[in-house]
């Protein structure tokens, strides 16, 4: 039978695995920071673009939680992003609360609430039904924002957002340096938190629900409540992204609450690789960078390229760019043996 | 008082009556076998009792409380646990994660979002103990989609044990398990707490008769026999409905 020594060894090994996961996260953080520093130095004129990337990365991360980890199909995820953007924007322009952290906090809360409302509607459906309901949600939200122009500025967009300096010290400069640094700091915090959450018992439950909800119920765990909670977390992340974009760009437009943005987020996620969190970051980066390069030449080309990119990814590497990288890595290691 | 008291349970699918006024009670420490020909309604009975399918009539009492309308989740929390005839597992998760998740649920820790079971010694220890009971330690960290079907069947039983039920309904736990490994299931069943009530469905008669002290036979949705394993083979209706050749084999052996 097992002795004290083997039990101790086993627990030590188990803690070792916890530490290895932490080391992977730490490495990811170092890579994110290094990439950010590199971009900061090499492309000082494009910081606004990178800040927008980070905001959209939050949307893609949020979508990965819901779709990648819990298997809920949605084409309306921008509703959560837009809720955060408008909440932060309205707070600043209509109520005069311009502290950036207050704006971000309110954005996250609004996103979480929008997430809860969305989940209650979307979870009524199944498969295709979920997709249809999710599209309905984002369209309704879009229409509501359009109609409530007294609050949202309607199709002109919401302007008059003037975030105060961070800690009263660091102004949002013309070059977007402050905004970029804030964005990267937020991204690192959110990314690490999400990595912890997906390994947690709650995260395991979500993965279990994706693979077999009947089994989850037969283990005595709630399916519906777990998914609503996940949606609230995802909503907070997307809402934070929206609020970040409001803080950084000082305007909120109806496009932040659109079906197009929802669909693009899904494309970015598929491109990067679903269910890994890393994929959301890489997919968003590649997508927006390409968009920026190609759209400058001809917007029509851009749509063509998106189409081709998607076909290539889905047909040849359904696990996305991160999946391809993983395969290469495994092959390289196998080859050396 | 009986732990599980099922009264006059009825279910029909379209025109087909699949459960015909079935009443069964299980008390502490009972080891009951539920047998019957294919399509007799055994799995449906388990689905009805555990809340996966709604009955048309009848009541289910668990520990004296009426749970007929309760959700499957609530029944599991009250101690009524079932295994599945066709394995239902999470293909991308490892056996260790399966057992850990079941335990976390039992211990009320499955909602935690800033925790990691690998830093909980009690969970790691018990998961390891359960897995080694089923000879699954070697593949504890391999995704379930990549392990043999027989091992998945064993994990299915290990998983329900990790939930520490009061009443356990096993739907053909040995189906699909290589005969050499059936001994593992028997060994695990022998280690179940003595006061647990177990109802087991299986087609392997030798396995069933070694395990059960009472046998219930279901045919065409109705109970046609309820008695000892010794008496079942001698019962004319059972022989006719189901056991026929098997009983004759035993008779001549
Ligand atoms: N959801 C359902 N809808 C319609 N008919 C069903 C459903 N579930 C089961 N049945 C039918 O009910 C009958 C009993 O099925 P059940 O699975 O309960 O039998 P069983 O005794 O478990 O059989 P086996 O030994 O093959 O597992 C079968 O004729 C089956 O086709
Ligand atoms: Mg069956």
């Amino acid at each position: 039978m097992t002795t004290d020594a083997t039990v101790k060894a086993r627990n030590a090994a188990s803690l070792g695995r916890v530490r290895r996961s932490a080391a992977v996260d730490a490495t990811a953080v170092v890579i994110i920071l290094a990439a950010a520093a590199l971009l900061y130095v090499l492309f000082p004129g494009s910081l606004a673009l990178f800040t927008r990337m980070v905001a959209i990365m939050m949307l893609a991360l949020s979508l990965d939680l819901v779709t990648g980890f819990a298997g809920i199909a949605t084409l309306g995820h921008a509703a959560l992003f837009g809720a955060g953007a408008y909440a932060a924007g309205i707070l600043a322009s209509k109520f005069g609360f311009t502290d950036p952290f207050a704006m971000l906090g309110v954005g996250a809360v609004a996103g979480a609430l929008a997430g809860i409302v969305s989940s209650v509607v979307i979870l009524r459906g199944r498969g295709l039904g979920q997709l249809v309901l999710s599209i309905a949600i984002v369209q309704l939200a879009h229409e509501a924002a359009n109609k409530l122009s007294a609050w949202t500025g309607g199709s002109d967009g919401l302007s008059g957002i003037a975030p105060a300096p961070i800690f009263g010290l660091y102004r949002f400069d013309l070059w977007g340096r402050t905004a970029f640094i804030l964005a990267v700091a937020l991204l690192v915090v959110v990314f690490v938190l999400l990595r912890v959450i997906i390994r947690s018992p709650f995260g395991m439950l979500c993965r279990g629900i994706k693979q077999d909800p009947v089994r989850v119920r037969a283990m005595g765990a709630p399916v519906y409540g777990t998914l609503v909670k996940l949606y609230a977390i995802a909503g907070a992340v997307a809402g934070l992204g929206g609020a970040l974009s409001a803080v950084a760009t000082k305007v909120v437009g109806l496009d932040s609450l659109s079906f197009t943005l929802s669909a693009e987020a899904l494309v970015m996620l598929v491109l990067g690789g679903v269910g890994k969190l890393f994929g959301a970051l890489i997919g968003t980066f590649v997508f927006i960078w390409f968009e920026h390069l190609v759209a400058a030449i001809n917007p029509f080309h851009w749509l063509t390229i998106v189409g081709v990119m998607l076909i290539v990814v889905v047909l040849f590497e359904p696990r996305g760019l991160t999946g391809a990288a993983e395969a290469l890595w495994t092959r390289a290691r196998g080859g050396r043996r | 008082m009986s732990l599980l008291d099922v009264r006059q349970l009825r279910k029909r699918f379209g025109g087909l009556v699949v459960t015909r006024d079935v009443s069964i009670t299980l008390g502490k420490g009972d080891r009951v076998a539920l047998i019957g020909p294919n399509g007799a309604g055994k799995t449906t009975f388990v689905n009805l009792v555990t809340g996966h399918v709604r009955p048309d009539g009848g009541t289910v009492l668990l520990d004296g409380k009426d749970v007929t309308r309760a959700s499957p989740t609530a029944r599991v929390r009250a101690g009524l646990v079932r295994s599945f005839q066709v394995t239902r597992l999470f293909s991308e998760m490892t056996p260790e994660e399966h057992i850990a998740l079941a335990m976390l649920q039992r211990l009320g820790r499955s909602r935690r979002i800033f925790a990691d079971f690998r830093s909980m010694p009690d969970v790691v220890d018990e998961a390891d103990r359960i897995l080694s009971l089923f000879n699954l330690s070697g593949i504890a960290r391999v995704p379930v989609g990549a392990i043999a079907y027989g091992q998945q069947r064993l994990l299915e039983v290990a998983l329900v044990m990790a939930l520490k039920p009061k009443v356990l309904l096993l739907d053909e736990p040995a189906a699909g398990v290589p005969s050499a490994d059936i001994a593992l299931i028997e060994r695990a069943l022998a280690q179940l707490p003595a006061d647990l009530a177990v109802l087991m469905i299986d087609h392997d008669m030798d396995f069933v008769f070694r395990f059960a002290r009472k046998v219930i036979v279901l045919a065409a949705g109705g109970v046609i026999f309820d008695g000892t394993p010794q008496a079942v083979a001698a019962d004319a209706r059972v022989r006719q409905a189901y056991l026929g050749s098997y009983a004759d084999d035993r008779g001549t052996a």
Side-chain angles (χ1 to χ4, degrees):
Chain A
M1 278 269 89
T2 48
T3 62
D4 271 5
T6 57
V7 168
K8 269 208 194 97
R10 184 198 307 139
N11 289 340
S14 186
L15 285 176
R17 287 193 290 151
V18 175
R19 249 177 265 126
R20 262 199 300 285
S21 303
V24 170
D25 294 356
T27 312
V29 167
V30 169
I31 292 174
I32 292 173
L33 291 177
L38 204 65
L39 294 173
Y40 187 94
V41 174
L42 292 183
F43 304 97
S46 304
L47 293 182
L49 174 72
F50 299 135
T51 304
R52 191 169 84 87
M53 270 184 195
V54 173
I56 304 293
M57 279 176 183
M58 303 250 197
L59 173 61
L61 283 172
S62 168
L63 184 62
D64 202 15
L65 283 186
V66 164
T67 302
F69 287 94
I72 303 166
T74 168
L75 273 170
H77 215 61
L80 319 187
F81 181 87
Y86 275 107
I90 289 170
L91 184 77
S93 72
K94 308 288 178 196
F95 296 97
F97 287 99
T98 55
D99 179 74
F101 289 111
M103 291 171 69
L104 293 170
V106 165
V109 170
L113 292 176
I116 292 171
V117 172
S118 300
S119 68
V120 168
V121 176
I122 291 174
L123 295 176
R124 296 263 155 246
R126 213 162 272 287
L128 213 54
Q130 288 183 341
L131 272 187
V132 173
L133 287 171
S134 69
I135 295 171
I137 286 175
V138 76
Q139 298 290 30
L140 284 173
H142 187 272
E143 202 41 41
N146 192 17
K147 283 275 144 49
L148 294 171
S149 53
W151 288 95
T152 62
S155 53
D156 296 336
L158 179 66
S159 50
I161 303 168
I166 298 176
F167 305 129
L169 290 175
Y170 306 102
R171 323 191 134 273
F172 286 92
D173 56 297
L174 209 57
W175 311 109
R177 289 188 197 124
T178 309
F180 179 67
I181 292 169
L182 174 69
V184 172
L186 283 178
L187 180 67
V188 165
V189 171
V190 165
F191 185 75
V192 170
L193 283 181
L194 293 186
R195 291 279 301 170
V196 170
I197 290 174
I198 60 168
R199 287 197 293 267
S200 70
F202 169 77
M204 289 164 72
L205 212 49
C206 293
R207 282 186 282 148
I209 289 172
K210 177 187 175 189
Q211 291 162 52
D212 192 345
V214 175
R215 164 51 83 189
V216 170
R217 284 198 195 94
M219 295 199 322
V223 168
Y224 185 76
T226 305
L227 292 180
V228 171
K229 189 166 151 191
L230 178 72
Y231 240 104
I233 295 172
V237 172
L240 192 64
L244 174 64
S245 100
V247 168
T249 60
K250 304 188 175 69
V251 288
V252 179
L254 283 176
D255 58 331
S256 68
L257 205 58
S258 64
F259 169 74
T260 312
L261 181 59
S262 306
E264 280 180 356
L266 192 60
V267 172
M268 296 175 205
L269 187 58
V270 170
L271 180 66
V274 178
K276 297 191 189 78
L277 295 184
F278 295 106
L281 304 188
I282 291 170
T284 307
F285 184 83
V286 170
F287 184 98
I288 296 183
W289 188 294
F290 256 96
E291 180 185 43
H292 182 70
L293 288 183
V294 181
I297 308 167
N298 183 336
F300 173 74
H301 284 326
W302 168 234
L303 288 178
T304 316
I305 287 194
V306 169
V308 172
M309 223 156 52
L310 267 185
I311 291 172
V312 169
V313 166
V314 172
L315 289 187
F316 296 103
E317 187 49 80
R319 292 170 306 158
L321 293 174
T322 46
E326 235 173 76
L328 279 178
W329 172 243
T330 332
R331 198 175 308 164
R333 281 209 314 191
R336 238 184 289 144
R337 261 190 222 125
Chain B
M1 186 183 55
S2 52
L3 272 176
L4 179 69
D5 189 351
V6 179
R7 295 184 190 154
Q8 302 288 310
L9 213 53
R10 275 199 309 279
K11 180 72 190 177
R12 62 192 313 157
F13 287 119
L16 183 69
V17 181
V18 182
T19 308
R20 228 179 267 276
D21 298 322
V22 173
S23 302
I24 284 178
T25 61
L26 287 181
K28 275 192 179 163
D30 276 358
R31 297 288 185 271
V32 177
L34 179 65
I35 62 174
N38 292 112
K42 305 180 294 294
T43 298
T44 302
F45 175 76
V46 171
N47 284 338
L48 292 171
V49 171
T50 53
H52 288 86
V53 172
R54 274 196 179 281
D56 297 332
T59 48
V60 179
L61 302 179
L62 182 63
D63 235 346
K65 279 192 241 27
D66 189 341
V67 296
T68 318
R69 305 261 153 247
S71 69
T73 330
R75 295 184 212 207
V76 174
R77 283 193 212 136
L80 176 61
V81 170
R82 57 93 53 98
S83 75
F84 291 92
Q85 178 176 355
V86 176
T87 307
R88 304 199 76 121
L89 297 168
F90 312 125
S91 57
E92 292 162 26
M93 285 162 76
T94 65
E96 183 191 37
E97 286 177 312
H98 279 78
I99 304 295
L101 192 53
M103 290 181 55
L104 291 164
Q105 175 57 34
R106 186 189 92 213
L107 298 167
R109 296 186 206 158
S110 69
R111 285 149 197 272
R112 296 197 186 169
I113 63 171
F114 296 114
D116 190 329
F117 80 86
R118 295 171 302 180
S119 46
M120 301 174 187
D122 54 340
V123 174
V124 174
D125 284 344
E126 196 183 320
D128 193 78
R129 206 146 29 76
I130 294 178
L131 288 171
S132 59
L133 186 60
F134 288 89
N135 268 6
L136 294 173
S137 303
I139 49 153
R141 284 166 212 162
V142 179
V144 161
I147 69 178
Y149 186 71
Q151 291 173 316
Q152 294 183 13
R153 293 301 299 158
L154 294 176
L155 180 58
E156 175 86 30
V157 180
L159 187 57
V160 296
M161 284 181 58
L163 290 168
K164 293 226 168 112
K166 286 188 213 153
V167 178
L168 182 54
L169 311 178
L170 296 167
D171 195 352
E172 304 201 19
V177 176
S179 49
D181 286 352
I182 290 186
L184 290 174
I185 293 190
E186 287 193 72
R187 187 177 77 185
L189 291 179
Q191 294 200 7
L192 289 172
D195 59 352
L196 172 70
V198 187
L199 178 131
M200 185 171 75
I201 300 172
D202 215 289
H203 286 293
D204 181 338
M205 288 308 142
D206 292 316
F207 177 38
V208 160
F209 289 163
R210 276 199 299 276
F211 165 80
R213 274 160 256 161
K214 183 170 123 172
V215 176
I216 296 171
V217 182
L218 209 59
V223 174
I224 58 163
F225 176 87
D226 184 339
T228 64
Q230 290 74 32
V232 70
D235 188 275
R237 286 181 68 192
V238 175
R239 288 171 87 102
Q240 194 197 345
Y242 173 55
L243 281 174
S245 58
Y246 179 82
D248 291 342
D249 285 356
R250 293 222 107 186
T252 55

